[in-house]
Short mmCIF file of all heavy atoms in Angstrom, two decimals:
data_model
loop_
_atom_site.label_atom_id
_atom_site.label_comp_id
_atom_site.label_asym_id
_atom_site.label_seq_id
_atom_site.Cartn_x
_atom_site.Cartn_y
_atom_site.Cartn_z
N ALA U 344 118.21 83.80 91.35
CA ALA U 344 117.31 84.26 90.29
C ALA U 344 117.86 83.98 88.89
O ALA U 344 117.09 83.84 87.94
CB ALA U 344 117.05 85.76 90.45
N GLY U 345 119.18 83.93 88.75
CA GLY U 345 119.79 83.72 87.44
C GLY U 345 120.73 84.86 87.09
O GLY U 345 120.60 85.98 87.60
N SER U 346 121.69 84.58 86.23
CA SER U 346 122.71 85.59 85.89
C SER U 346 122.10 86.81 85.21
O SER U 346 122.68 87.91 85.25
CB SER U 346 123.78 84.97 84.99
OG SER U 346 123.19 84.45 83.80
N GLU U 347 120.93 86.65 84.57
CA GLU U 347 120.29 87.78 83.89
C GLU U 347 119.76 88.82 84.88
O GLU U 347 119.39 89.94 84.49
CB GLU U 347 119.15 87.30 82.98
CG GLU U 347 117.99 86.62 83.68
CD GLU U 347 118.17 85.12 83.81
OE1 GLU U 347 119.33 84.65 83.88
OE2 GLU U 347 117.16 84.40 83.85
N TYR U 348 119.73 88.47 86.17
CA TYR U 348 119.27 89.41 87.21
C TYR U 348 120.46 89.98 88.01
O TYR U 348 120.26 90.53 89.08
CB TYR U 348 118.31 88.70 88.16
CG TYR U 348 116.98 88.33 87.52
CD1 TYR U 348 116.78 87.06 87.01
CD2 TYR U 348 115.96 89.26 87.42
CE1 TYR U 348 115.57 86.71 86.41
CE2 TYR U 348 114.74 88.92 86.84
CZ TYR U 348 114.56 87.65 86.34
OH TYR U 348 113.36 87.32 85.75
N ARG U 349 121.66 89.88 87.48
CA ARG U 349 122.86 90.33 88.19
C ARG U 349 122.77 91.79 88.63
O ARG U 349 123.20 92.17 89.73
CB ARG U 349 124.08 90.13 87.30
CG ARG U 349 125.42 90.44 87.97
CD ARG U 349 126.56 90.29 86.97
NE ARG U 349 126.59 88.94 86.41
CZ ARG U 349 127.26 87.93 86.95
NH1 ARG U 349 127.97 88.13 88.05
NH2 ARG U 349 127.24 86.73 86.40
N ASP U 350 122.21 92.66 87.77
CA ASP U 350 122.12 94.08 88.09
C ASP U 350 121.23 94.37 89.29
O ASP U 350 121.28 95.46 89.86
CB ASP U 350 121.60 94.87 86.88
CG ASP U 350 122.65 94.99 85.78
OD1 ASP U 350 123.83 94.70 86.06
OD2 ASP U 350 122.29 95.39 84.65
N ALA U 351 120.39 93.41 89.67
CA ALA U 351 119.51 93.61 90.82
C ALA U 351 120.31 93.78 92.11
O ALA U 351 119.83 94.42 93.06
CB ALA U 351 118.55 92.43 90.96
N TYR U 352 121.54 93.27 92.15
CA TYR U 352 122.38 93.41 93.36
C TYR U 352 122.69 94.87 93.64
O TYR U 352 122.49 95.36 94.76
CB TYR U 352 123.67 92.62 93.18
CG TYR U 352 124.71 92.90 94.25
CD1 TYR U 352 124.53 92.47 95.56
CD2 TYR U 352 125.87 93.61 93.94
CE1 TYR U 352 125.48 92.73 96.54
CE2 TYR U 352 126.83 93.87 94.91
CZ TYR U 352 126.63 93.43 96.21
OH TYR U 352 127.57 93.69 97.17
N LEU U 353 123.20 95.58 92.63
CA LEU U 353 123.54 96.99 92.83
C LEU U 353 122.31 97.83 93.11
O LEU U 353 122.32 98.72 93.96
CB LEU U 353 124.29 97.52 91.60
CG LEU U 353 124.80 98.96 91.69
CD1 LEU U 353 125.69 99.14 92.93
CD2 LEU U 353 125.57 99.33 90.43
N ILE U 354 121.21 97.53 92.40
CA ILE U 354 119.97 98.26 92.64
C ILE U 354 119.51 98.05 94.08
O ILE U 354 119.10 99.00 94.77
CB ILE U 354 118.87 97.80 91.65
CG1 ILE U 354 119.25 98.19 90.22
CG2 ILE U 354 117.51 98.41 92.01
CD1 ILE U 354 118.33 97.62 89.16
N ALA U 355 119.58 96.82 94.55
CA ALA U 355 119.15 96.51 95.93
C ALA U 355 120.00 97.26 96.95
O ALA U 355 119.47 97.82 97.92
CB ALA U 355 119.22 95.01 96.18
N LEU U 356 121.32 97.30 96.74
CA LEU U 356 122.19 98.02 97.68
C LEU U 356 121.89 99.51 97.69
O LEU U 356 121.88 100.14 98.75
CB LEU U 356 123.65 97.79 97.32
CG LEU U 356 124.29 96.45 97.72
CD1 LEU U 356 125.78 96.47 97.42
CD2 LEU U 356 124.06 96.15 99.20
N ILE U 357 121.66 100.09 96.51
CA ILE U 357 121.35 101.51 96.42
C ILE U 357 120.09 101.83 97.22
O ILE U 357 120.00 102.88 97.87
CB ILE U 357 121.18 101.94 94.95
CG1 ILE U 357 122.52 101.86 94.21
CG2 ILE U 357 120.62 103.37 94.85
CD1 ILE U 357 122.41 102.06 92.71
N LEU U 358 119.13 100.92 97.21
CA LEU U 358 117.89 101.13 97.95
C LEU U 358 118.03 100.83 99.44
O LEU U 358 117.55 101.58 100.30
CB LEU U 358 116.78 100.24 97.37
CG LEU U 358 116.33 100.51 95.93
CD1 LEU U 358 115.35 99.45 95.47
CD2 LEU U 358 115.71 101.90 95.81
N VAL U 359 118.70 99.73 99.76
CA VAL U 359 118.71 99.20 101.13
C VAL U 359 119.61 99.99 102.07
O VAL U 359 119.23 100.25 103.23
CB VAL U 359 119.12 97.72 101.11
CG1 VAL U 359 119.52 97.23 102.49
CG2 VAL U 359 117.99 96.86 100.56
N VAL U 360 120.81 100.40 101.61
CA VAL U 360 121.76 101.06 102.52
C VAL U 360 121.18 102.32 103.16
O VAL U 360 121.16 102.44 104.40
CB VAL U 360 123.10 101.34 101.80
CG1 VAL U 360 124.00 102.20 102.67
CG2 VAL U 360 123.81 100.04 101.45
N PRO U 361 120.68 103.30 102.39
CA PRO U 361 120.11 104.47 103.07
C PRO U 361 118.80 104.18 103.79
O PRO U 361 118.46 104.85 104.77
CB PRO U 361 119.88 105.46 101.91
CG PRO U 361 119.77 104.63 100.70
CD PRO U 361 120.67 103.45 100.92
N PHE U 362 118.07 103.16 103.31
CA PHE U 362 116.78 102.82 103.91
C PHE U 362 116.94 102.27 105.32
O PHE U 362 115.99 102.30 106.12
CB PHE U 362 116.08 101.80 103.02
CG PHE U 362 114.62 101.61 103.32
CD1 PHE U 362 113.83 102.64 103.81
CD2 PHE U 362 114.01 100.38 103.08
CE1 PHE U 362 112.49 102.46 104.06
CE2 PHE U 362 112.67 100.19 103.33
CZ PHE U 362 111.91 101.23 103.82
N THR U 363 118.14 101.82 105.67
CA THR U 363 118.38 101.26 107.00
C THR U 363 118.06 102.27 108.11
O THR U 363 117.49 101.91 109.14
CB THR U 363 119.85 100.81 107.12
OG1 THR U 363 120.12 99.84 106.11
CG2 THR U 363 120.12 100.19 108.48
N ILE U 364 118.42 103.53 107.89
CA ILE U 364 118.22 104.54 108.95
C ILE U 364 116.74 104.79 109.22
O ILE U 364 116.31 104.75 110.39
CB ILE U 364 118.98 105.83 108.59
CG1 ILE U 364 120.49 105.54 108.56
CG2 ILE U 364 118.67 106.94 109.61
CD1 ILE U 364 121.33 106.68 108.08
N PRO U 365 115.91 105.07 108.21
CA PRO U 365 114.48 105.20 108.51
C PRO U 365 113.87 103.95 109.14
O PRO U 365 112.96 104.05 109.96
CB PRO U 365 113.85 105.48 107.13
CG PRO U 365 114.95 106.05 106.31
CD PRO U 365 116.20 105.38 106.79
N LEU U 366 114.39 102.78 108.79
CA LEU U 366 113.83 101.55 109.34
C LEU U 366 114.11 101.39 110.82
O LEU U 366 113.25 100.92 111.57
CB LEU U 366 114.37 100.34 108.57
CG LEU U 366 113.79 100.11 107.17
CD1 LEU U 366 114.43 98.90 106.52
CD2 LEU U 366 112.28 99.93 107.22
N ILE U 367 115.32 101.76 111.26
CA ILE U 367 115.61 101.62 112.69
C ILE U 367 115.00 102.76 113.50
O ILE U 367 115.05 102.75 114.73
CB ILE U 367 117.13 101.52 112.97
CG1 ILE U 367 117.86 102.79 112.55
CG2 ILE U 367 117.72 100.29 112.29
CD1 ILE U 367 119.35 102.79 112.90
N GLN U 368 114.40 103.74 112.80
CA GLN U 368 113.72 104.85 113.47
C GLN U 368 112.23 104.85 113.22
O GLN U 368 111.55 105.83 113.55
CB GLN U 368 114.30 106.19 112.99
CG GLN U 368 115.74 106.43 113.38
CD GLN U 368 116.23 107.80 112.95
OE1 GLN U 368 115.73 108.42 112.01
NE2 GLN U 368 117.24 108.31 113.65
N ASN U 369 111.68 103.77 112.65
CA ASN U 369 110.28 103.86 112.24
C ASN U 369 109.29 103.82 113.39
O ASN U 369 108.10 104.07 113.19
CB ASN U 369 109.93 102.81 111.18
CG ASN U 369 110.22 101.39 111.61
OD1 ASN U 369 110.40 101.11 112.80
ND2 ASN U 369 110.27 100.49 110.67
N ILE U 370 109.75 103.55 114.61
CA ILE U 370 108.87 103.73 115.76
C ILE U 370 108.52 105.21 115.92
O ILE U 370 107.48 105.57 116.48
CB ILE U 370 109.53 103.17 117.05
CG1 ILE U 370 108.54 103.16 118.22
CG2 ILE U 370 110.75 103.99 117.42
CD1 ILE U 370 107.38 102.22 118.03
N GLY U 371 109.39 106.09 115.39
CA GLY U 371 109.12 107.52 115.43
C GLY U 371 107.85 107.89 114.70
O GLY U 371 107.13 108.82 115.09
N LEU U 372 107.54 107.17 113.61
CA LEU U 372 106.31 107.44 112.88
C LEU U 372 105.09 107.12 113.74
O LEU U 372 104.10 107.87 113.74
CB LEU U 372 106.28 106.61 111.59
CG LEU U 372 105.01 106.73 110.74
CD1 LEU U 372 104.75 108.17 110.37
CD2 LEU U 372 105.13 105.86 109.49
N SER U 373 105.16 106.03 114.50
CA SER U 373 104.06 105.70 115.41
C SER U 373 103.89 106.79 116.47
O SER U 373 102.77 107.13 116.86
CB SER U 373 104.31 104.34 116.09
OG SER U 373 104.29 103.30 115.14
N ILE U 374 105.00 107.34 116.95
CA ILE U 374 104.94 108.43 117.94
C ILE U 374 104.28 109.66 117.33
O ILE U 374 103.41 110.30 117.94
CB ILE U 374 106.35 108.76 118.47
CG1 ILE U 374 106.90 107.57 119.27
CG2 ILE U 374 106.33 110.02 119.33
CD1 ILE U 374 108.35 107.73 119.69
N LEU U 375 104.68 110.01 116.11
CA LEU U 375 104.08 111.17 115.43
C LEU U 375 102.58 110.97 115.24
O LEU U 375 101.79 111.89 115.47
CB LEU U 375 104.75 111.38 114.07
CG LEU U 375 106.20 111.87 114.06
CD1 LEU U 375 106.70 111.97 112.62
CD2 LEU U 375 106.33 113.22 114.74
N GLN U 376 102.20 109.79 114.81
CA GLN U 376 100.78 109.52 114.57
C GLN U 376 99.99 109.53 115.87
O GLN U 376 98.86 110.04 115.92
CB GLN U 376 100.63 108.17 113.85
CG GLN U 376 101.16 108.20 112.43
CD GLN U 376 101.31 106.83 111.83
OE1 GLN U 376 101.14 105.81 112.52
NE2 GLN U 376 101.64 106.77 110.55
#
Side-chain angles (χ1 to χ4, degrees):
S346 58
E347 64 270 29
Y348 292 96
R349 185 183 301 271
D350 287 347
Y352 169 70
L353 184 55
I354 294 172
L356 282 186
I357 292 171
L358 295 174
V359 164
V360 172
F362 194 31
T363 302
I364 296 173
L366 285 179
I367 63 176
Q368 294 183 335
N369 57 16
I370 189 65
L372 177 57
S373 295
I374 293 173
L375 291 178
Q376 291 167 353

